[in-house]
Amino acid sequence: MFNKFNIAETESFQKNLKNSNFSKIYSKIKTIVYPQLRKNPYFGPNIKKLKGEFEGLYRFRIGDHRLFYSIDNEKIIVFVLALKQRKDAY
């Protein structure tokens, strides 16, 4: 149904990873979240399309963390924007 999407991490996302203690959760993101986003970044039990000031963005819930991303349909790319703890996410 969907083409296979590529994953692109933004520079700010990579800096965020280096400057924080997200290394444990990042391995989970690479092995569990990215394969699901490659298959279908629009729908899933942990995926939500955001509204209001965050319209056009999606979030993937990973326990107490939120992974934010946007989708470029023309280039078939998922841009990973940020990883935040839930208390700091919104």
Side-chain angles (χ1 to χ4, degrees):
M1 182 173 154
F2 287 97
N3 292 325
K4 196 164 179 115
F5 283 79
N6 292 312
I7 304 290
E9 296 175 346
T10 61
E11 284 184 35
S12 60
F13 173 74
Q14 291 175 343
K15 283 181 187 176
N16 186 337
L17 284 175
K18 288 178 185 173
N19 297 335
S20 64
N21 55 359
F22 290 139
S23 58
K24 282 185 181 178
I25 199 158
Y26 185 60
S27 63
K28 190 180 282 190
I29 289 170
K30 289 194 302 188
T31 57
I32 297 170
V33 177
Y34 283 177
Q36 187 175 342
L37 292 181
R38 281 189 182 96
K39 193 189 243 180
N40 186 351
Y42 296 100
F43 304 107
N46 296 312
I47 295 173
K48 183 176 181 181
K49 186 175 183 177
L50 301 179
K51 301 175 183 174
E53 66 180 286
F54 300 110
E55 191 166 346
L57 298 179
Y58 292 79
R59 73 101 170 108
F60 194 104
R61 181 174 48 86
I62 311 160
D64 291 339
H65 296 83
R66 302 295 182 263
L67 181 74
F68 296 95
Y69 63 94
S70 64
I71 303 168
D72 185 332
N73 284 314
E74 291 179 17
K75 297 180 181 176
I76 311 173
I77 296 176
V78 173
F79 291 100
V80 179
L81 306 172
L83 176 65
K84 305 236 180 216
Q85 287 192 322
R86 187 196 177 283
K87 63 179 182 168
D88 302 326
Y90 306 102

Coordinates of all heavy atoms in Angstrom, one line a residue:
M1 N 0.8 -1.2 0.0 CA 0.0 0.0 0.0 C 0.9 1.3 0.0 O 0.7 2.1 -0.8 CB -0.9 0.0 1.2 CG -1.9 1.1 1.3 SD -3.0 0.9 2.7 CE -3.4 2.5 3.1
F2 N 1.8 1.3 0.9 CA 2.7 2.5 1.0 C 4.1 2.1 0.5 O 4.5 1.0 0.6 CB 2.8 3.0 2.5 CG 1.6 3.7 3.0 CD1 0.7 3.0 3.8 CD2 1.4 5.0 2.7 CE1 -0.4 3.6 4.3 CE2 0.3 5.7 3.2 CZ -0.6 5.0 4.0
N3 N 4.7 3.1 -0.1 CA 6.1 2.9 -0.4 C 7.0 2.8 0.8 O 6.5 3.2 1.9 CB 6.7 4.0 -1.3 CG 6.0 4.0 -2.7 OD1 5.7 3.0 -3.2 ND2 5.7 5.2 -3.2
K4 N 8.2 2.3 0.7 CA 9.0 2.2 1.9 C 9.7 3.6 2.1 O 10.4 4.1 1.3 CB 10.1 1.1 1.7 CG 10.8 0.7 2.9 CD 11.5 -0.6 2.7 CE 12.2 -1.0 3.9 NZ 11.7 -2.2 4.5
F5 N 9.4 4.1 3.3 CA 9.9 5.5 3.6 C 11.4 5.4 4.1 O 11.7 4.4 4.7 CB 9.1 6.1 4.7 CG 7.8 6.7 4.2 CD1 6.7 5.8 4.0 CD2 7.6 8.0 4.0 CE1 5.5 6.3 3.5 CE2 6.4 8.5 3.5 CZ 5.4 7.7 3.3
N6 N 12.1 6.4 3.8 CA 13.5 6.5 4.3 C 13.4 7.4 5.6 O 12.5 8.2 5.8 CB 14.4 7.2 3.3 CG 14.7 6.4 2.1 OD1 15.0 5.2 2.3 ND2 14.5 6.9 1.0
I7 N 14.4 7.2 6.5 CA 14.4 7.9 7.8 C 15.6 8.9 7.7 O 16.7 8.5 7.3 CB 14.6 7.0 9.0 CG1 13.6 5.9 9.0 CG2 14.7 7.8 10.3 CD1 12.2 6.3 9.4
A8 N 15.3 10.2 8.0 CA 16.3 11.2 8.0 C 16.3 11.9 9.4 O 15.3 12.4 9.8 CB 16.1 12.2 6.9
E9 N 17.4 11.8 10.1 CA 17.5 12.5 11.4 C 18.0 13.9 11.2 O 19.1 14.0 10.6 CB 18.4 11.7 12.4 CG 17.9 10.3 12.7 CD 18.9 9.5 13.5 OE1 20.1 9.9 13.6 OE2 18.5 8.5 14.1
T10 N 17.4 14.9 11.8 CA 17.9 16.2 11.6 C 19.1 16.4 12.5 O 19.3 15.7 13.5 CB 16.8 17.2 12.0 OG1 16.4 17.0 13.4 CG2 15.5 17.1 11.2
E11 N 19.8 17.5 12.2 CA 21.0 17.8 13.0 C 20.6 18.1 14.5 O 21.3 17.7 15.4 CB 21.8 19.0 12.4 CG 22.6 18.6 11.2 CD 23.4 19.8 10.7 OE1 23.8 20.6 11.5 OE2 23.5 19.9 9.5
S12 N 19.5 18.8 14.7 CA 19.1 19.2 16.0 C 18.7 17.9 16.8 O 19.0 17.8 18.0 CB 17.9 20.1 16.0 OG 16.8 19.6 15.3
F13 N 18.2 16.9 16.1 CA 17.8 15.6 16.8 C 19.1 14.9 17.2 O 19.2 14.4 18.3 CB 17.0 14.8 15.9 CG 16.8 13.4 16.4 CD1 15.9 13.2 17.4 CD2 17.5 12.3 15.9 CE1 15.7 11.9 17.9 CE2 17.3 11.0 16.4 CZ 16.3 10.8 17.4
Q14 N 20.1 14.9 16.3 CA 21.4 14.2 16.7 C 22.1 14.9 17.8 O 22.7 14.3 18.7 CB 22.2 14.1 15.4 CG 21.7 13.2 14.4 CD 22.4 13.1 13.1 OE1 23.2 14.0 12.8 NE2 22.2 12.1 12.3
K15 N 22.1 16.3 17.8 CA 22.7 17.0 18.9 C 22.0 16.7 20.2 O 22.6 16.6 21.3 CB 22.6 18.5 18.6 CG 23.7 19.0 17.6 CD 23.6 20.5 17.4 CE 24.5 21.0 16.3 NZ 24.3 22.4 16.1
N16 N 20.7 16.7 20.1 CA 19.8 16.4 21.3 C 20.2 15.0 21.9 O 20.3 14.9 23.1 CB 18.4 16.4 20.9 CG 17.4 16.2 22.0 OD1 17.7 15.7 23.1 ND2 16.2 16.6 21.8
L17 N 20.5 14.0 21.0 CA 20.9 12.7 21.5 C 22.2 12.8 22.2 O 22.4 12.1 23.2 CB 21.0 11.7 20.3 CG 19.6 11.2 19.8 CD1 19.9 10.3 18.6 CD2 18.9 10.4 20.9
K18 N 23.2 13.5 21.6 CA 24.5 13.6 22.2 C 24.5 14.3 23.6 O 25.3 14.0 24.4 CB 25.5 14.3 21.2 CG 25.8 13.5 20.0 CD 26.7 14.2 19.1 CE 26.9 13.5 17.8 NZ 27.7 14.2 16.8
N19 N 23.7 15.3 23.7 CA 23.7 16.1 24.9 C 22.7 15.6 26.0 O 22.5 16.3 26.9 CB 23.3 17.6 24.5 CG 24.3 18.2 23.6 OD1 25.4 17.8 23.6 ND2 23.8 19.2 22.9
S20 N 22.3 14.4 25.8 CA 21.3 13.9 26.8 C 21.6 12.4 27.1 O 22.5 11.8 26.6 CB 19.9 14.1 26.3 OG 19.7 13.3 25.2
N21 N 20.8 11.8 28.0 CA 21.0 10.4 28.3 C 19.9 9.6 27.6 O 19.3 8.7 28.2 CB 20.9 10.2 29.8 CG 19.6 10.8 30.4 OD1 18.8 11.4 29.7 ND2 19.4 10.7 31.7
F22 N 19.7 9.8 26.3 CA 18.8 9.0 25.5 C 19.4 7.8 24.8 O 18.8 7.2 24.0 CB 18.1 9.9 24.5 CG 17.2 11.0 25.0 CD1 17.2 12.2 24.5 CD2 16.3 10.7 26.1 CE1 16.3 13.2 25.0 CE2 15.4 11.6 26.6 CZ 15.4 12.9 26.0
S23 N 20.6 7.5 25.2 CA 21.3 6.4 24.4 C 20.6 5.0 24.6 O 20.5 4.3 23.6 CB 22.7 6.2 24.9 OG 22.8 6.0 26.3
K24 N 20.0 4.7 25.7 CA 19.3 3.5 25.9 C 18.0 3.4 25.0 O 17.8 2.5 24.3 CB 18.9 3.2 27.3 CG 19.9 2.8 28.2 CD 19.4 2.5 29.6 CE 20.5 2.0 30.5 NZ 20.0 1.8 31.9
I25 N 17.3 4.5 25.0 CA 16.1 4.6 24.2 C 16.4 4.7 22.7 O 15.6 4.2 21.9 CB 15.2 5.7 24.7 CG1 13.7 5.4 24.2 CG2 15.6 7.0 24.2 CD1 12.7 6.2 25.0
Y26 N 17.5 5.2 22.4 CA 17.8 5.3 20.9 C 18.0 4.0 20.3 O 17.6 3.8 19.2 CB 19.1 6.2 20.8 CG 19.4 6.4 19.3 CD1 18.5 7.1 18.5 CD2 20.6 6.0 18.7 CE1 18.8 7.4 17.2 CE2 20.9 6.2 17.4 CZ 20.0 6.9 16.6 OH 20.3 7.2 15.3
S27 N 18.5 3.0 21.0 CA 18.7 1.6 20.4 C 17.3 1.1 20.2 O 17.0 0.4 19.2 CB 19.5 0.7 21.3 OG 18.9 0.5 22.6
K28 N 16.3 1.3 21.1 CA 14.9 0.9 20.9 C 14.3 1.6 19.7 O 13.6 1.0 18.9 CB 14.1 1.2 22.1 CG 12.8 0.6 22.2 CD 12.0 0.9 23.4 CE 12.5 0.0 24.6 NZ 11.6 0.1 25.8
I29 N 14.6 2.9 19.5 CA 14.1 3.6 18.4 C 14.6 3.0 17.1 O 13.8 2.8 16.1 CB 14.5 5.1 18.5 CG1 13.8 5.8 19.6 CG2 14.3 5.8 17.1 CD1 14.3 7.2 19.9
K30 N 15.9 2.7 17.0 CA 16.5 2.1 15.8 C 15.9 0.7 15.5 O 15.7 0.4 14.3 CB 18.0 2.1 15.9 CG 18.6 3.4 15.8 CD 20.1 3.3 15.5 CE 20.8 2.6 16.6 NZ 22.3 2.6 16.5
T31 N 15.7 -0.1 16.5 CA 15.3 -1.5 16.2 C 13.8 -1.7 16.1 O 13.3 -2.5 15.4 CB 15.8 -2.4 17.3 OG1 15.4 -2.0 18.6 CG2 17.3 -2.5 17.3
I32 N 13.0 -0.8 16.8 CA 11.5 -1.0 16.9 C 10.8 0.1 16.1 O 9.9 -0.2 15.3 CB 11.0 -1.1 18.3 CG1 11.7 -2.3 19.0 CG2 9.5 -1.2 18.4 CD1 11.4 -2.4 20.5
V33 N 11.1 1.3 16.4 CA 10.3 2.5 15.9 C 10.6 2.7 14.4 O 9.7 2.8 13.6 CB 10.6 3.8 16.7 CG1 9.9 4.9 16.1 CG2 10.2 3.5 18.2
Y34 N 11.9 2.8 14.0 CA 12.2 3.1 12.6 C 11.7 2.1 11.7 O 11.1 2.5 10.6 CB 13.7 3.2 12.5 CG 14.3 4.5 12.9 CD1 15.7 4.8 12.9 CD2 13.5 5.6 13.4 CE1 16.2 6.0 13.4 CE2 14.0 6.8 13.9 CZ 15.4 7.0 13.8 OH 15.9 8.2 14.3
P35 N 11.7 0.7 11.9 CA 11.1 -0.2 11.0 C 9.6 0.1 10.8 O 9.1 0.0 9.7 CB 11.4 -1.6 11.6 CG 12.6 -1.4 12.4 CD 12.5 0.0 12.9
Q36 N 8.9 0.4 11.9 CA 7.5 0.7 11.8 C 7.2 2.0 11.0 O 6.3 2.0 10.2 CB 6.9 0.8 13.2 CG 5.4 1.0 13.1 CD 4.7 1.0 14.5 OE1 5.4 0.5 15.5 NE2 3.5 1.4 14.6
L37 N 8.1 3.0 11.2 CA 7.9 4.3 10.5 C 8.2 4.1 9.0 O 7.6 4.7 8.1 CB 8.8 5.4 11.1 CG 8.4 5.9 12.4 CD1 9.3 7.0 12.9 CD2 7.0 6.3 12.5
R38 N 9.2 3.2 8.7 CA 9.5 2.9 7.3 C 8.3 2.3 6.5 O 8.1 2.6 5.4 CB 10.7 2.0 7.2 CG 12.0 2.7 7.4 CD 13.2 1.8 7.0 NE 14.4 2.4 7.3 CZ 15.1 2.3 8.4 NH1 14.7 1.5 9.4 NH2 16.2 3.0 8.6
K39 N 7.6 1.4 7.2 CA 6.5 0.7 6.7 C 5.3 1.6 6.5 O 4.7 1.7 5.5 CB 6.1 -0.5 7.6 CG 5.2 -1.5 6.9 CD 4.8 -2.4 8.0 CE 5.2 -3.8 7.7 NZ 4.8 -4.8 8.7
N40 N 4.9 2.3 7.6 CA 3.7 3.2 7.6 C 3.8 4.3 8.7 O 3.5 4.0 9.8 CB 2.4 2.4 7.7 CG 1.2 3.2 7.6 OD1 1.3 4.5 7.5 ND2 0.1 2.6 7.5
P41 N 4.3 5.5 8.4 CA 4.5 6.5 9.4 C 3.2 7.2 9.8 O 3.2 8.0 10.7 CB 5.5 7.5 8.7 CG 5.2 7.3 7.3 CD 4.8 5.9 7.1
Y42 N 2.1 6.9 9.1 CA 0.8 7.6 9.4 C 0.0 6.9 10.5 O -0.7 7.6 11.2 CB 0.0 7.6 8.1 CG 0.6 8.5 7.0 CD1 1.3 7.8 6.0 CD2 0.6 9.8 7.1 CE1 1.9 8.6 5.0 CE2 1.2 10.6 6.1 CZ 1.8 10.0 5.1 OH 2.4 10.7 4.1
F43 N 0.0 5.6 10.6 CA -0.9 4.9 11.5 C -0.2 3.9 12.3 O 0.7 3.2 11.9 CB -2.0 4.2 10.7 CG -2.8 5.2 9.8 CD1 -2.6 5.1 8.4 CD2 -3.7 6.1 10.3 CE1 -3.3 6.0 7.6 CE2 -4.4 7.0 9.5 CZ -4.2 6.9 8.1
G44 N -0.7 3.7 13.6 CA -0.1 2.7 14.5 C -0.6 3.0 15.9 O -1.1 4.1 16.1
P45 N -0.5 2.1 16.8 CA -1.0 2.2 18.1 C -0.3 3.3 18.9 O -0.9 3.9 19.8 CB -0.7 0.9 18.8 CG 0.3 0.2 17.9 CD 0.1 0.8 16.6
N46 N 0.9 3.7 18.5 CA 1.7 4.7 19.3 C 1.9 6.0 18.5 O 2.6 6.9 18.9 CB 3.1 4.2 19.7 CG 2.9 3.0 20.6 OD1 2.2 3.1 21.6 ND2 3.6 1.9 20.3
I47 N 1.2 6.1 17.3 CA 1.4 7.2 16.4 C 0.2 8.2 16.5 O -1.0 7.7 16.6 CB 1.6 6.8 15.0 CG1 2.9 6.0 14.8 CG2 1.5 8.0 14.0 CD1 3.1 5.4 13.5
K48 N 0.4 9.4 16.6 CA -0.7 10.4 16.7 C -0.3 11.6 15.8 O 0.8 12.1 15.9 CB -0.9 10.9 18.1 CG -2.0 11.8 18.3 CD -2.2 12.1 19.8 CE -3.4 13.1 20.0 NZ -3.6 13.4 21.4
K49 N -1.3 12.1 15.0 CA -1.1 13.3 14.2 C -1.4 14.5 15.2 O -2.4 14.5 15.8 CB -2.0 13.3 13.0 CG -1.8 14.4 12.1 CD -2.7 14.3 10.9 CE -2.4 15.4 9.9 NZ -3.1 15.3 8.7
L50 N -0.5 15.4 15.2 CA -0.7 16.5 16.1 C -1.5 17.6 15.5 O -1.6 17.8 14.3 CB 0.7 17.1 16.6 CG 1.6 16.0 17.3 CD1 2.9 16.6 17.7 CD2 0.9 15.5 18.5
K51 N -2.1 18.5 16.4 CA -3.0 19.5 15.9 C -2.5 20.9 16.5 O -1.6 20.9 17.3 CB -4.4 19.3 16.4 CG -5.0 18.0 16.0 CD -6.4 17.7 16.6 CE -6.9 16.4 16.2 NZ -8.2 16.0 16.9
G52 N -3.2 21.9 16.1 CA -2.9 23.2 16.7 C -1.6 23.8 16.2 O -1.3 23.7 15.0
E53 N -0.8 24.3 17.1 CA 0.5 24.9 16.7 C 1.5 23.8 16.2 O 2.4 24.1 15.5 CB 1.1 25.6 17.8 CG 1.5 24.8 19.0 CD 2.1 25.6 20.2 OE1 3.3 26.0 20.0 OE2 1.4 25.8 21.2
F54 N 1.2 22.5 16.4 CA 2.1 21.5 16.0 C 1.5 20.7 14.7 O 1.9 19.6 14.4 CB 2.3 20.4 17.1 CG 2.9 21.0 18.3 CD1 2.2 21.2 19.5 CD2 4.2 21.4 18.3 CE1 2.8 21.7 20.6 CE2 4.8 22.0 19.4 CZ 4.1 22.2 20.6
E55 N 0.5 21.4 14.1 CA -0.1 20.7 12.9 C 1.0 20.4 11.8 O 1.9 21.2 11.6 CB -1.1 21.7 12.3 CG -2.0 21.0 11.3 CD -3.2 21.8 11.0 OE1 -3.6 22.7 11.7 OE2 -3.9 21.4 10.0
G56 N 0.8 19.2 11.2 CA 1.8 18.8 10.2 C 2.9 17.9 10.8 O 3.6 17.3 10.1
L57 N 2.9 17.8 12.1 CA 3.8 16.9 12.8 C 3.1 15.7 13.4 O 1.9 15.7 13.6 CB 4.5 17.6 14.0 CG 5.4 18.8 13.6 CD1 6.0 19.5 14.9 CD2 6.5 18.5 12.6
Y58 N 3.9 14.6 13.6 CA 3.4 13.4 14.2 C 4.3 13.1 15.4 O 5.4 13.6 15.5 CB 3.5 12.2 13.3 CG 2.6 12.3 12.1 CD1 2.9 13.1 11.0 CD2 1.4 11.6 12.0 CE1 2.0 13.2 9.9 CE2 0.6 11.6 11.0 CZ 0.9 12.5 9.9 OH 0.0 12.5 8.8
R59 N 3.7 12.3 16.4 CA 4.5 11.9 17.5 C 4.3 10.4 17.7 O 3.3 9.8 17.4 CB 4.1 12.7 18.8 CG 2.8 12.3 19.4 CD 3.0 11.4 20.6 NE 1.8 11.2 21.3 CZ 1.0 10.1 21.3 NH1 1.4 9.0 20.6 NH2 -0.1 10.0 21.9
F60 N 5.4 9.8 18.1 CA 5.5 8.4 18.4 C 5.7 8.2 19.8 O 6.7 8.7 20.4 CB 6.6 7.7 17.6 CG 6.4 6.2 17.5 CD1 6.0 5.5 16.4 CD2 6.8 5.4 18.6 CE1 5.8 4.2 16.4 CE2 6.6 4.0 18.6 CZ 6.2 3.4 17.5
R61 N 4.8 7.6 20.6 CA 4.9 7.4 22.0 C 5.8 6.2 22.3 O 5.6 5.1 21.8 CB 3.6 7.2 22.6 CG 3.6 7.1 24.1 CD 2.2 7.0 24.7 NE 1.3 6.1 24.0 CZ 1.1 4.8 24.3 NH1 1.9 4.3 25.2 NH2 0.3 4.1 23.6
I62 N 6.9 6.4 23.1 CA 7.8 5.4 23.6 C 7.9 5.5 25.1 O 8.7 6.2 25.6 CB 9.2 5.5 22.9 CG1 9.1 5.7 21.4 CG2 10.1 4.3 23.3 CD1 10.3 6.4 20.8
G63 N 7.0 4.8 25.8 CA 6.9 4.9 27.2 C 6.7 6.4 27.7 O 5.7 7.0 27.3
D64 N 7.7 6.9 28.5 CA 7.6 8.3 28.9 C 8.2 9.3 28.0 O 8.4 10.5 28.3 CB 8.3 8.4 30.3 CG 7.5 7.7 31.4 OD1 6.3 7.5 31.2 OD2 8.1 7.4 32.4
H65 N 8.6 8.8 26.8 CA 9.2 9.7 25.8 C 8.4 9.9 24.6 O 7.5 9.0 24.3 CB 10.6 9.1 25.4 CG 11.6 9.0 26.5 ND1 11.6 8.0 27.4 CD2 12.5 9.9 26.9 CE1 12.5 8.2 28.3 NE2 13.1 9.4 28.0
R66 N 8.6 11.0 23.9 CA 7.9 11.2 22.6 C 8.9 11.6 21.5 O 9.8 12.4 21.7 CB 6.9 12.4 22.8 CG 5.9 12.3 23.9 CD 4.9 11.1 23.6 NE 3.9 11.0 24.6 CZ 4.0 10.1 25.7 NH1 5.0 9.4 25.8 NH2 3.0 10.0 26.5
L67 N 8.7 10.9 20.4 CA 9.6 11.1 19.2 C 8.7 11.9 18.2 O 7.6 11.4 17.8 CB 10.0 9.8 18.6 CG 10.9 9.9 17.4 CD1 12.3 10.3 17.8 CD2 10.9 8.5 16.6
F68 N 9.2 13.1 17.8 CA 8.4 13.9 16.9 C 9.0 13.9 15.5 O 10.3 13.8 15.4 CB 8.4 15.4 17.4 CG 7.7 15.5 18.7 CD1 8.5 15.5 19.9 CD2 6.4 15.7 18.8 CE1 7.8 15.6 21.1 CE2 5.7 15.8 20.0 CZ 6.4 15.8 21.2
Y69 N 8.2 13.8 14.5 CA 8.6 13.7 13.1 C 7.6 14.3 12.2 O 6.5 14.6 12.5 CB 8.9 12.2 12.8 CG 7.7 11.3 12.8 CD1 7.0 11.1 11.6 CD2 7.3 10.7 14.0 CE1 5.9 10.2 11.6 CE2 6.2 9.8 14.0 CZ 5.5 9.6 12.8 OH 4.5 8.8 12.8
S70 N 8.1 14.6 11.0 CA 7.3 15.1 9.9 C 7.5 14.2 8.7 O 8.5 13.4 8.6 CB 7.6 16.5 9.5 OG 8.9 16.6 9.0
I71 N 6.6 14.2 7.7 CA 6.6 13.3 6.6 C 6.6 14.1 5.3 O 5.8 15.0 5.1 CB 5.4 12.4 6.6 CG1 5.3 11.6 7.9 CG2 5.4 11.4 5.4 CD1 4.0 10.9 8.2
D72 N 7.6 13.8 4.4 CA 7.6 14.4 3.1 C 7.2 13.3 2.1 O 7.9 12.4 1.8 CB 9.0 14.9 2.8 CG 9.1 15.6 1.4 OD1 8.3 15.3 0.5 OD2 10.0 16.4 1.3
N73 N 5.9 13.4 1.6 CA 5.4 12.4 0.7 C 6.1 12.3 -0.6 O 6.2 11.3 -1.2 CB 3.9 12.6 0.5 CG 3.1 12.2 1.7 OD1 3.3 11.1 2.2 ND2 2.2 13.0 2.1
E74 N 6.5 13.5 -1.2 CA 7.1 13.5 -2.5 C 8.4 12.8 -2.5 O 8.7 12.1 -3.4 CB 7.3 15.0 -2.9 CG 6.0 15.7 -3.2 CD 6.2 17.1 -3.7 OE1 7.3 17.5 -4.0 OE2 5.2 17.9 -3.6
K75 N 9.2 13.0 -1.4 CA 10.5 12.4 -1.4 C 10.5 11.1 -0.6 O 11.5 10.4 -0.5 CB 11.5 13.4 -0.7 CG 11.7 14.6 -1.5 CD 12.7 15.5 -0.9 CE 12.9 16.8 -1.7 NZ 13.8 17.8 -1.0
I76 N 9.4 10.7 -0.1 CA 9.2 9.5 0.7 C 10.2 9.4 1.8 O 11.0 8.5 2.0 CB 9.3 8.2 -0.2 CG1 8.3 8.4 -1.4 CG2 8.8 7.0 0.6 CD1 8.5 7.3 -2.4
I77 N 10.2 10.5 2.6 CA 11.2 10.6 3.8 C 10.4 11.0 5.0 O 9.5 11.8 5.0 CB 12.2 11.7 3.5 CG1 13.1 11.3 2.3 CG2 13.1 11.9 4.7 CD1 14.1 12.4 1.9
V78 N 10.8 10.3 6.1 CA 10.4 10.7 7.5 C 11.5 11.5 8.1 O 12.6 10.9 8.3 CB 10.0 9.5 8.3 CG1 9.7 9.9 9.7 CG2 8.8 8.7 7.7
F79 N 11.2 12.7 8.5 CA 12.3 13.6 9.1 C 12.0 13.5 10.6 O 11.0 13.9 11.1 CB 12.2 15.0 8.7 CG 12.6 15.2 7.2 CD1 11.6 15.4 6.3 CD2 13.9 15.3 6.9 CE1 12.0 15.6 4.9 CE2 14.3 15.5 5.6 CZ 13.3 15.6 4.6
V80 N 13.0 12.9 11.3 CA 13.0 12.8 12.8 C 13.5 14.1 13.4 O 14.6 14.5 13.1 CB 13.8 11.6 13.3 CG1 13.7 11.5 14.8 CG2 13.3 10.3 12.7
L81 N 12.6 14.8 14.1 CA 12.9 16.2 14.6 C 13.4 16.2 16.0 O 14.3 17.0 16.3 CB 11.6 17.0 14.4 CG 11.0 17.0 13.0 CD1 9.7 17.8 13.1 CD2 12.0 17.7 12.0
A82 N 12.7 15.5 16.9 CA 13.1 15.6 18.3 C 12.7 14.4 19.1 O 11.7 13.7 18.8 CB 12.5 16.9 18.9
L83 N 13.4 14.2 20.2 CA 13.0 13.2 21.2 C 13.0 13.9 22.6 O 13.9 14.5 22.9 CB 14.0 12.1 21.2 CG 13.8 11.0 22.3 CD1 12.5 10.2 22.0 CD2 15.0 10.0 22.3
K84 N 11.8 13.8 23.2 CA 11.7 14.6 24.5 C 11.0 13.7 25.5 O 10.2 12.8 25.1 CB 10.8 15.8 24.3 CG 11.3 16.8 23.2 CD 11.5 18.1 23.8 CE 12.0 19.0 22.7 NZ 13.0 19.9 23.2
Q85 N 11.2 13.9 26.8 CA 10.5 13.3 27.8 C 9.1 13.9 27.8 O 8.9 15.1 27.4 CB 11.1 13.5 29.2 CG 12.3 12.7 29.4 CD 12.8 12.6 30.8 OE1 12.7 13.6 31.5 NE2 13.3 11.5 31.2
R86 N 8.1 13.1 28.1 CA 6.7 13.5 28.0 C 6.5 14.9 28.8 O 5.8 15.8 28.3 CB 5.7 12.5 28.5 CG 4.3 12.9 28.3 CD 3.3 12.1 29.1 NE 2.0 12.6 28.8 CZ 1.4 13.7 29.4 NH1 2.2 14.4 30.2 NH2 0.2 14.0 29.1
K87 N 7.0 15.0 30.0 CA 6.8 16.2 30.8 C 7.3 17.4 30.1 O 6.8 18.5 30.4 CB 7.4 16.0 32.2 CG 8.9 15.9 32.1 CD 9.5 15.7 33.5 CE 11.0 15.6 33.4 NZ 11.7 15.8 34.7
D88 N 8.3 17.3 29.2 CA 8.9 18.5 28.5 C 8.4 18.6 27.1 O 8.8 19.6 26.4 CB 10.4 18.3 28.5 CG 11.0 18.2 29.9 OD1 10.5 18.8 30.8 OD2 12.0 17.5 30.1
A89 N 7.6 17.6 26.6 CA 7.3 17.6 25.2 C 6.3 18.6 24.7 O 6.5 19.2 23.6 CB 6.8 16.2 24.9
Y90 N 5.3 18.9 25.5 CA 4.3 19.8 25.0 C 4.4 21.1 25.8 O 4.1 22.1 25.6 CB 2.9 19.2 25.2 CG 2.8 17.8 24.6 CD1 2.9 16.7 25.3 CD2 2.7 17.7 23.2 CE1 2.8 15.4 24.8 CE2 2.6 16.4 22.6 CZ 2.6 15.3 23.4 OH 2.5 14.1 22.8

